[in-house]
Amino acid sequence: MKIFLLLINLFFLGGACLARHGKGGSITYEYLGAGTFTGTSKYKIIVKHYIDCDGTQFIEPFSYVGIFDGGGSGIYKAITIPESGRVNIQKMSFDRCIHQPPVVCYVVVSYIAETDLPDNLAGYVLAEQECCRIQGIINIPNSSTYGITNTNTIPGVINGIVYRTNSSPVFAQKDTVVICKDSYFSLDFSAIDANYDVLKYAFSPGKSGGTTQTRQPNPPSPPPYPDLPYQSGFTALEPLGPGVKIDANTGIISGIAASTLGSYIIAVAVSEYRNGVLIGVSKKEVQVTVAECSLSAAILKPEYINCKDFSFHFENEFILTNVNSYLWDFGVTGIGSDTSTAVIGAYTYPDTGKYTLKLNVTSATGCEDSATANVLVYPVFKTGFKVTGSCIQSPFQFDDTSFAQYGKINKWLWDFGDAYSSSNESAVSNPSHIYSGKGSYTATLISTASTGCVDTASATVLVSDKPFLSLPFKDTLICSIDTLALHANGSGIFSWSPTTNLLNPATASPLVFPKTTTKYVVTLDEKGCVAKDSVIVNVLDSITVLLPADTTICQSDSILLQPVTQALQYQWSPDRGLNNAFIKTPKAAPQANTIYRLAARLGKCQASDSISIRVVPYPRVQASNDTTICFGTNAQLNAVITGTSFTWEPSGSLQNVTSLSPSATPLQTTAYVLSVYDVQGCPKPATDTIVVNVLPRINAFAGNDTSIIAGQPLQLNASGGTSYMWSPAIGLDNSSVGNPVANLDAYFQNFTYVVTVSKGACFATDSIHIKIFTTGPEIFVPSAFTPNGDGKNDVLKPILVGIKNLETFKVFTRWGQLVYSSNQAKQGWDGTINGAPQQTAAYVYVAVGLTYLDQKIMRKGTVLLIR
């Protein structure tokens, strides 16, 4: 992403007049080796001030740096550093993406000195203080009352290891950039470390410093230094609001700029780690300004995740509409087809995993921009749960049934929908909840997987003053000499009635043995909540079985056996050809004649019946192979059958359709189906198919009929095929090409060529008629024409002989009014002026043409329009 940011860093220099041009600063140091005396080390101290270009008259000639013992024992010494140089930096060119760019100009003033420091254990703290900040900084209340402190640390000995030979990280000087309001920006706050230590970046509180009374304290006050207060909506860790973040590994600050124009304070601390040990912290504080400008950009969400399938639809998050060119790269390595130029990038990923999406855009002004984002593809993830419970006085059990094909579910957030309960939420996988009242509640679960997938499921929970009670059946049959186990589902105390012929009435599963049909009622009491249900037990003294009449099926087919009986247990024999011999209605597919017998039982009541199934073979048919024909030709179909009758479909393009060898003349590729029947009892026909593929029609074209003069070369141009043959070959320079040249002398008056046009084995013919004149090149115009719409002589047009190009053909009234003009020989005048038909009258024409010998001829004359 390009950096669209205007850095207007502000540091106060003190006083109402002097304190309006500072834009920031930092302190760094460099280890130079052993000091002048034993037990000392030499360091280069570098102080940088950033000053607005309009405030160079206020540049301080000195910087006052205090060097404090890192253990807190006070100041070691203060050094005065004179100005060492300055660099003027002004941004002269702006990216084409920026509209109405602001002025960007500042001066970098350096103060550099070398000093020796004793090799102590605690190291040192470097500090420099100034006053004051400008009024009206957006994220700092009463900003003009606070100064600034620039600090850094030189490490000593940590955990027995000497680190004083360290040089601090140096922030990159990338400050000539622009922030536009309500727009995405990216600011590079990275640093370079000479010791190759690991650097971690974080927003840090801005530090207060000098005052209007002491604008450059010498020496500076000792640490610790007070943090700046932040305006509501901002914090030290969110100095530009929650929409702007810093990358801890790169130091890149990015996000959507605020909509409020003005200046903001940003402070960044870079922590320096060596072998996992924090050895120092460097800090840089700047003032940035959100300017009144706009930009064209590619903006993507930081991350896209799909936990349902592999398909995504990506959109540019940039809100302006001046982008007119898109290029998406969906990040699949090893292929080149994962791109799109559509406004919305739609793509289905080939596999799960993490991909890098890239978008390049170009605006109407030529602005080019790009953005990248992570794409996570981890289907299938689905949140679900089940609920057990019914009564208001008992806890409801919630069990997570969520499924994650990739990763594992590691977070749960339950909302039981019970707004009046203090325990309405839970974060465990399988919680329980007692509802505060009866009614209908909507429970919601949000589950999260280790892949980052998040899904939500909701269900209605009905809480009543009756417990949950269900029966697996409400109506059943038993034999009068049997015993049946009833069963109820629920939680609580059960009781059954009537108790006649019933055992265990106080359980969920009593045993009953009624002698007549009886209705049993179950009552469930769950902590005072009562529910009732019932089941009817129908009693039979005997049962019957009735199977359908004997039948016939085709070999390899099946039939569903459907008995009529009151039985509940079944056994068929033999079991060959049955999909299940112990169900009421099995599917039978015998390969030979078979008698199936059903033994049916209702407890100890039994009955049986049988059915005979006759199996006959299908009729047989074998048709000839598929074939291919030229358009307009026929194909001979052939078949051999074993059967008593047959039909061909479709029959419209067949001759001798009652024959097994009909002739087919289809106009397009057609599948002919032959169906064969017999009289042995098989109710289904056997079929076979012959596909006749019809090659496309050859549209042979020899060219339009024409006229020439004797000896005039005529270019022929045939079309429609891949090879050509002209007949007769008289006068042709080559009769076997599509575009020969014909040269006919005065011996012929009319001549016709026929061309045979071929594609593969298929061909077609066409002809061209040529009229030969013995005159020289000429333009003939009829002396009269009759535009009456009868299709004969309705249009006045010239007839060209030996003319290769008609330059003009014009028709005038006798008074010189132009009524028609064209240079197209095949067009002509239809006898109208401005769409109005003209009456009988004489008109004048002029025709000019170029002969095949490149000679120009002109013909004039009169023509009579006849109505």
Side-chain angles (χ1 to χ4, degrees), residues 536-562:
I536 297 176
V537 179
N538 298 278
V539 180
L540 298 177
D541 292 327
S542 63
I543 62 171
T544 60
V545 175
L546 179 63
L547 285 169
D550 298 343
T551 187
T552 300
I553 66 172
C554 302
Q555 195 170 38
S556 76
D557 281 357
S558 63
I559 184 173
L560 191 66
L561 304 181
Q562 297 178 294

PDB file of all heavy atoms in Angstrom, residues 536-562:
ATOM      1  N   ILE A 536     -52.752 -46.413  23.189  1.00  0.00           N
ATOM      2  CA  ILE A 536     -53.813 -47.412  23.035  1.00  0.00           C
ATOM      3  C   ILE A 536     -53.171 -48.725  22.609  1.00  0.00           C
ATOM      4  O   ILE A 536     -52.442 -48.779  21.599  1.00  0.00           O
ATOM      5  CB  ILE A 536     -54.865 -46.961  22.006  1.00  0.00           C
ATOM      6  CG1 ILE A 536     -55.566 -45.692  22.497  1.00  0.00           C
ATOM      7  CG2 ILE A 536     -55.884 -48.069  21.751  1.00  0.00           C
ATOM      8  CD1 ILE A 536     -56.556 -45.116  21.499  1.00  0.00           C
ATOM      9  N   VAL A 537     -53.431 -49.779  23.348  1.00  0.00           N
ATOM     10  CA  VAL A 537     -52.944 -51.119  23.024  1.00  0.00           C
ATOM     11  C   VAL A 537     -54.124 -51.922  22.475  1.00  0.00           C
ATOM     12  O   VAL A 537     -55.061 -52.241  23.215  1.00  0.00           O
ATOM     13  CB  VAL A 537     -52.333 -51.803  24.260  1.00  0.00           C
ATOM     14  CG1 VAL A 537     -51.855 -53.204  23.890  1.00  0.00           C
ATOM     15  CG2 VAL A 537     -51.194 -50.955  24.824  1.00  0.00           C
ATOM     16  N   ASN A 538     -54.102 -52.162  21.165  1.00  0.00           N
ATOM     17  CA  ASN A 538     -55.156 -52.932  20.522  1.00  0.00           C
ATOM     18  C   ASN A 538     -54.837 -54.419  20.660  1.00  0.00           C
ATOM     19  O   ASN A 538     -53.709 -54.860  20.391  1.00  0.00           O
ATOM     20  CB  ASN A 538     -55.270 -52.561  19.052  1.00  0.00           C
ATOM     21  CG  ASN A 538     -55.653 -51.098  18.858  1.00  0.00           C
ATOM     22  OD1 ASN A 538     -56.814 -50.741  18.943  1.00  0.00           O
ATOM     23  ND2 ASN A 538     -54.659 -50.244  18.602  1.00  0.00           N
ATOM     24  N   VAL A 539     -55.824 -55.212  21.018  1.00  0.00           N
ATOM     25  CA  VAL A 539     -55.630 -56.632  21.293  1.00  0.00           C
ATOM     26  C   VAL A 539     -56.361 -57.454  20.237  1.00  0.00           C
ATOM     27  O   VAL A 539     -57.540 -57.211  19.938  1.00  0.00           O
ATOM     28  CB  VAL A 539     -56.146 -56.979  22.700  1.00  0.00           C
ATOM     29  CG1 VAL A 539     -55.940 -58.473  22.985  1.00  0.00           C
ATOM     30  CG2 VAL A 539     -55.439 -56.125  23.752  1.00  0.00           C
ATOM     31  N   LEU A 540     -55.660 -58.418  19.639  1.00  0.00           N
ATOM     32  CA  LEU A 540     -56.233 -59.350  18.663  1.00  0.00           C
ATOM     33  C   LEU A 540     -56.081 -60.774  19.171  1.00  0.00           C
ATOM     34  O   LEU A 540     -55.033 -61.120  19.745  1.00  0.00           O
ATOM     35  CB  LEU A 540     -55.526 -59.203  17.315  1.00  0.00           C
ATOM     36  CG  LEU A 540     -55.632 -57.843  16.603  1.00  0.00           C
ATOM     37  CD1 LEU A 540     -54.818 -57.872  15.318  1.00  0.00           C
ATOM     38  CD2 LEU A 540     -57.083 -57.493  16.315  1.00  0.00           C
ATOM     39  N   ASP A 541     -57.114 -61.610  18.879  1.00  0.00           N
ATOM     40  CA  ASP A 541     -57.014 -63.030  19.229  1.00  0.00           C
ATOM     41  C   ASP A 541     -56.264 -63.803  18.152  1.00  0.00           C
ATOM     42  O   ASP A 541     -55.713 -64.879  18.423  1.00  0.00           O
ATOM     43  CB  ASP A 541     -58.404 -63.620  19.429  1.00  0.00           C
ATOM     44  CG  ASP A 541     -59.094 -63.041  20.667  1.00  0.00           C
ATOM     45  OD1 ASP A 541     -58.368 -62.733  21.631  1.00  0.00           O
ATOM     46  OD2 ASP A 541     -60.325 -62.870  20.635  1.00  0.00           O
ATOM     47  N   SER A 542     -56.247 -63.277  16.908  1.00  0.00           N
ATOM     48  CA  SER A 542     -55.550 -63.934  15.799  1.00  0.00           C
ATOM     49  C   SER A 542     -55.241 -62.898  14.731  1.00  0.00           C
ATOM     50  O   SER A 542     -55.750 -61.776  14.779  1.00  0.00           O
ATOM     51  CB  SER A 542     -56.400 -65.063  15.201  1.00  0.00           C
ATOM     52  OG  SER A 542     -57.603 -64.509  14.651  1.00  0.00           O
ATOM     53  N   ILE A 543     -54.391 -63.269  13.763  1.00  0.00           N
ATOM     54  CA  ILE A 543     -54.044 -62.380  12.658  1.00  0.00           C
ATOM     55  C   ILE A 543     -54.212 -63.110  11.329  1.00  0.00           C
ATOM     56  O   ILE A 543     -54.320 -64.345  11.296  1.00  0.00           O
ATOM     57  CB  ILE A 543     -52.597 -61.881  12.782  1.00  0.00           C
ATOM     58  CG1 ILE A 543     -51.618 -63.048  12.729  1.00  0.00           C
ATOM     59  CG2 ILE A 543     -52.413 -61.041  14.027  1.00  0.00           C
ATOM     60  CD1 ILE A 543     -50.175 -62.623  12.638  1.00  0.00           C
ATOM     61  N   THR A 544     -54.227 -62.357  10.226  1.00  0.00           N
ATOM     62  CA  THR A 544     -54.299 -62.926   8.875  1.00  0.00           C
ATOM     63  C   THR A 544     -53.186 -62.324   8.033  1.00  0.00           C
ATOM     64  O   THR A 544     -52.635 -61.269   8.346  1.00  0.00           O
ATOM     65  CB  THR A 544     -55.648 -62.636   8.213  1.00  0.00           C
ATOM     66  OG1 THR A 544     -55.816 -61.203   8.130  1.00  0.00           O
ATOM     67  CG2 THR A 544     -56.790 -63.248   9.027  1.00  0.00           C
ATOM     68  N   VAL A 545     -52.882 -63.036   6.930  1.00  0.00           N
ATOM     69  CA  VAL A 545     -51.896 -62.560   5.951  1.00  0.00           C
ATOM     70  C   VAL A 545     -52.485 -62.753   4.570  1.00  0.00           C
ATOM     71  O   VAL A 545     -52.994 -63.843   4.246  1.00  0.00           O
ATOM     72  CB  VAL A 545     -50.555 -63.311   6.060  1.00  0.00           C
ATOM     73  CG1 VAL A 545     -49.615 -62.869   4.944  1.00  0.00           C
ATOM     74  CG2 VAL A 545     -49.921 -63.059   7.402  1.00  0.00           C
ATOM     75  N   LEU A 546     -52.434 -61.711   3.711  1.00  0.00           N
ATOM     76  CA  LEU A 546     -52.926 -61.801   2.337  1.00  0.00           C
ATOM     77  C   LEU A 546     -51.893 -61.181   1.414  1.00  0.00           C
ATOM     78  O   LEU A 546     -51.581 -59.994   1.527  1.00  0.00           O
ATOM     79  CB  LEU A 546     -54.269 -61.083   2.190  1.00  0.00           C
ATOM     80  CG  LEU A 546     -54.877 -61.088   0.781  1.00  0.00           C
ATOM     81  CD1 LEU A 546     -55.181 -62.535   0.345  1.00  0.00           C
ATOM     82  CD2 LEU A 546     -56.145 -60.241   0.724  1.00  0.00           C
ATOM     83  N   LEU A 547     -51.332 -62.028   0.485  1.00  0.00           N
ATOM     84  CA  LEU A 547     -50.372 -61.546  -0.511  1.00  0.00           C
ATOM     85  C   LEU A 547     -51.065 -61.310  -1.842  1.00  0.00           C
ATOM     86  O   LEU A 547     -52.099 -61.920  -2.128  1.00  0.00           O
ATOM     87  CB  LEU A 547     -49.240 -62.551  -0.688  1.00  0.00           C
ATOM     88  CG  LEU A 547     -48.202 -62.588   0.446  1.00  0.00           C
ATOM     89  CD1 LEU A 547     -47.287 -63.791   0.299  1.00  0.00           C
ATOM     90  CD2 LEU A 547     -47.403 -61.306   0.454  1.00  0.00           C
ATOM     91  N   PRO A 548     -50.501 -60.439  -2.724  1.00  0.00           N
ATOM     92  CA  PRO A 548     -51.099 -60.208  -4.043  1.00  0.00           C
ATOM     93  C   PRO A 548     -51.087 -61.483  -4.875  1.00  0.00           C
ATOM     94  O   PRO A 548     -50.439 -62.474  -4.552  1.00  0.00           O
ATOM     95  CB  PRO A 548     -50.209 -59.125  -4.658  1.00  0.00           C
ATOM     96  CG  PRO A 548     -49.521 -58.487  -3.502  1.00  0.00           C
ATOM     97  CD  PRO A 548     -49.342 -59.577  -2.487  1.00  0.00           C
ATOM     98  N   ALA A 549     -51.824 -61.443  -5.992  1.00  0.00           N
ATOM     99  CA  ALA A 549     -51.887 -62.598  -6.890  1.00  0.00           C
ATOM    100  C   ALA A 549     -50.529 -62.864  -7.508  1.00  0.00           C
ATOM    101  O   ALA A 549     -49.662 -61.976  -7.580  1.00  0.00           O
ATOM    102  CB  ALA A 549     -52.928 -62.342  -7.973  1.00  0.00           C
ATOM    103  N   ASP A 550     -50.337 -64.126  -7.972  1.00  0.00           N
ATOM    104  CA  ASP A 550     -49.089 -64.473  -8.648  1.00  0.00           C
ATOM    105  C   ASP A 550     -48.876 -63.543  -9.832  1.00  0.00           C
ATOM    106  O   ASP A 550     -49.827 -63.043 -10.450  1.00  0.00           O
ATOM    107  CB  ASP A 550     -49.148 -65.925  -9.119  1.00  0.00           C
ATOM    108  CG  ASP A 550     -49.295 -66.910  -7.954  1.00  0.00           C
ATOM    109  OD1 ASP A 550     -49.017 -66.491  -6.815  1.00  0.00           O
ATOM    110  OD2 ASP A 550     -49.689 -68.061  -8.192  1.00  0.00           O
ATOM    111  N   THR A 551     -47.596 -63.318 -10.184  1.00  0.00           N
ATOM    112  CA  THR A 551     -47.300 -62.335 -11.220  1.00  0.00           C
ATOM    113  C   THR A 551     -46.091 -62.761 -12.029  1.00  0.00           C
ATOM    114  O   THR A 551     -45.422 -63.762 -11.714  1.00  0.00           O
ATOM    115  CB  THR A 551     -47.055 -60.956 -10.593  1.00  0.00           C
ATOM    116  OG1 THR A 551     -46.937 -59.977 -11.626  1.00  0.00           O
ATOM    117  CG2 THR A 551     -45.770 -60.929  -9.761  1.00  0.00           C
ATOM    118  N   THR A 552     -45.809 -61.994 -13.109  1.00  0.00           N
ATOM    119  CA  THR A 552     -44.667 -62.221 -13.992  1.00  0.00           C
ATOM    120  C   THR A 552     -43.826 -60.945 -14.044  1.00  0.00           C
ATOM    121  O   THR A 552     -44.364 -59.839 -14.150  1.00  0.00           O
ATOM    122  CB  THR A 552     -45.127 -62.597 -15.411  1.00  0.00           C
ATOM    123  OG1 THR A 552     -45.908 -63.790 -15.343  1.00  0.00           O
ATOM    124  CG2 THR A 552     -43.940 -62.817 -16.332  1.00  0.00           C
ATOM    125  N   ILE A 553     -42.499 -61.092 -14.009  1.00  0.00           N
ATOM    126  CA  ILE A 553     -41.588 -59.954 -14.143  1.00  0.00           C
ATOM    127  C   ILE A 553     -40.520 -60.288 -15.175  1.00  0.00           C
ATOM    128  O   ILE A 553     -40.326 -61.460 -15.524  1.00  0.00           O
ATOM    129  CB  ILE A 553     -40.909 -59.594 -12.803  1.00  0.00           C
ATOM    130  CG1 ILE A 553     -39.980 -60.714 -12.343  1.00  0.00           C
ATOM    131  CG2 ILE A 553     -41.941 -59.251 -11.745  1.00  0.00           C
ATOM    132  CD1 ILE A 553     -39.132 -60.347 -11.147  1.00  0.00           C
ATOM    133  N   CYS A 554     -39.849 -59.244 -15.672  1.00  0.00           N
ATOM    134  CA  CYS A 554     -38.737 -59.437 -16.604  1.00  0.00           C
ATOM    135  C   CYS A 554     -37.487 -59.796 -15.804  1.00  0.00           C
ATOM    136  O   CYS A 554     -37.260 -59.279 -14.705  1.00  0.00           O
ATOM    137  CB  CYS A 554     -38.476 -58.174 -17.412  1.00  0.00           C
ATOM    138  SG  CYS A 554     -39.896 -57.605 -18.368  1.00  0.00           S
ATOM    139  N   GLN A 555     -36.680 -60.666 -16.389  1.00  0.00           N
ATOM    140  CA  GLN A 555     -35.450 -61.079 -15.726  1.00  0.00           C
ATOM    141  C   GLN A 555     -34.549 -59.868 -15.488  1.00  0.00           C
ATOM    142  O   GLN A 555     -34.401 -59.014 -16.363  1.00  0.00           O
ATOM    143  CB  GLN A 555     -34.725 -62.123 -16.570  1.00  0.00           C
ATOM    144  CG  GLN A 555     -33.633 -62.875 -15.827  1.00  0.00           C
ATOM    145  CD  GLN A 555     -33.128 -64.063 -16.635  1.00  0.00           C
ATOM    146  OE1 GLN A 555     -33.012 -63.975 -17.857  1.00  0.00           O
ATOM    147  NE2 GLN A 555     -32.855 -65.173 -15.968  1.00  0.00           N
ATOM    148  N   SER A 556     -33.964 -59.788 -14.278  1.00  0.00           N
ATOM    149  CA  SER A 556     -33.114 -58.692 -13.776  1.00  0.00           C
ATOM    150  C   SER A 556     -33.929 -57.539 -13.204  1.00  0.00           C
ATOM    151  O   SER A 556     -33.362 -56.618 -12.632  1.00  0.00           O
ATOM    152  CB  SER A 556     -32.151 -58.146 -14.845  1.00  0.00           C
ATOM    153  OG  SER A 556     -32.828 -57.330 -15.776  1.00  0.00           O
ATOM    154  N   ASP A 557     -35.282 -57.579 -13.329  1.00  0.00           N
ATOM    155  CA  ASP A 557     -36.108 -56.565 -12.694  1.00  0.00           C
ATOM    156  C   ASP A 557     -36.442 -56.981 -11.266  1.00  0.00           C
ATOM    157  O   ASP A 557     -36.147 -58.093 -10.835  1.00  0.00           O
ATOM    158  CB  ASP A 557     -37.394 -56.349 -13.488  1.00  0.00           C
ATOM    159  CG  ASP A 557     -37.164 -55.481 -14.714  1.00  0.00           C
ATOM    160  OD1 ASP A 557     -36.021 -55.010 -14.894  1.00  0.00           O
ATOM    161  OD2 ASP A 557     -38.107 -55.283 -15.501  1.00  0.00           O
ATOM    162  N   SER A 558     -37.060 -56.079 -10.527  1.00  0.00           N
ATOM    163  CA  SER A 558     -37.469 -56.373  -9.161  1.00  0.00           C
ATOM    164  C   SER A 558     -38.930 -56.003  -8.983  1.00  0.00           C
ATOM    165  O   SER A 558     -39.505 -55.253  -9.782  1.00  0.00           O
ATOM    166  CB  SER A 558     -36.588 -55.621  -8.160  1.00  0.00           C
ATOM    167  OG  SER A 558     -36.749 -54.222  -8.321  1.00  0.00           O
ATOM    168  N   ILE A 559     -39.507 -56.501  -7.876  1.00  0.00           N
ATOM    169  CA  ILE A 559     -40.899 -56.218  -7.558  1.00  0.00           C
ATOM    170  C   ILE A 559     -40.997 -56.044  -6.049  1.00  0.00           C
ATOM    171  O   ILE A 559     -40.288 -56.710  -5.283  1.00  0.00           O
ATOM    172  CB  ILE A 559     -41.828 -57.359  -8.053  1.00  0.00           C
ATOM    173  CG1 ILE A 559     -43.290 -56.978  -7.797  1.00  0.00           C
ATOM    174  CG2 ILE A 559     -41.480 -58.683  -7.392  1.00  0.00           C
ATOM    175  CD1 ILE A 559     -44.272 -57.957  -8.411  1.00  0.00           C
ATOM    176  N   LEU A 560     -41.852 -55.141  -5.602  1.00  0.00           N
ATOM    177  CA  LEU A 560     -42.049 -54.908  -4.175  1.00  0.00           C
ATOM    178  C   LEU A 560     -43.166 -55.814  -3.680  1.00  0.00           C
ATOM    179  O   LEU A 560     -44.302 -55.757  -4.179  1.00  0.00           O
ATOM    180  CB  LEU A 560     -42.396 -53.439  -3.922  1.00  0.00           C
ATOM    181  CG  LEU A 560     -42.385 -52.977  -2.460  1.00  0.00           C
ATOM    182  CD1 LEU A 560     -40.968 -53.045  -1.897  1.00  0.00           C
ATOM    183  CD2 LEU A 560     -42.932 -51.551  -2.355  1.00  0.00           C
ATOM    184  N   LEU A 561     -42.864 -56.655  -2.690  1.00  0.00           N
ATOM    185  CA  LEU A 561     -43.849 -57.569  -2.109  1.00  0.00           C
ATOM    186  C   LEU A 561     -44.606 -56.818  -1.011  1.00  0.00           C
ATOM    187  O   LEU A 561     -44.002 -56.303  -0.073  1.00  0.00           O
ATOM    188  CB  LEU A 561     -43.152 -58.803  -1.536  1.00  0.00           C
ATOM    189  CG  LEU A 561     -42.273 -59.591  -2.529  1.00  0.00           C
ATOM    190  CD1 LEU A 561     -41.665 -60.803  -1.845  1.00  0.00           C
ATOM    191  CD2 LEU A 561     -43.094 -60.014  -3.742  1.00  0.00           C
ATOM    192  N   GLN A 562     -45.943 -56.746  -1.144  1.00  0.00           N
ATOM    193  CA  GLN A 562     -46.747 -55.921  -0.253  1.00  0.00           C
ATOM    194  C   GLN A 562     -47.907 -56.734   0.329  1.00  0.00           C
ATOM    195  O   GLN A 562     -49.005 -56.780  -0.235  1.00  0.00           O
ATOM    196  CB  GLN A 562     -47.285 -54.689  -0.994  1.00  0.00           C
ATOM    197  CG  GLN A 562     -46.187 -53.755  -1.479  1.00  0.00           C
ATOM    198  CD  GLN A 562     -46.742 -52.579  -2.246  1.00  0.00           C
ATOM    199  OE1 GLN A 562     -47.305 -52.749  -3.324  1.00  0.00           O
ATOM    200  NE2 GLN A 562     -46.596 -51.386  -1.687  1.00  0.00           N
TER     201      GLN A 562
END
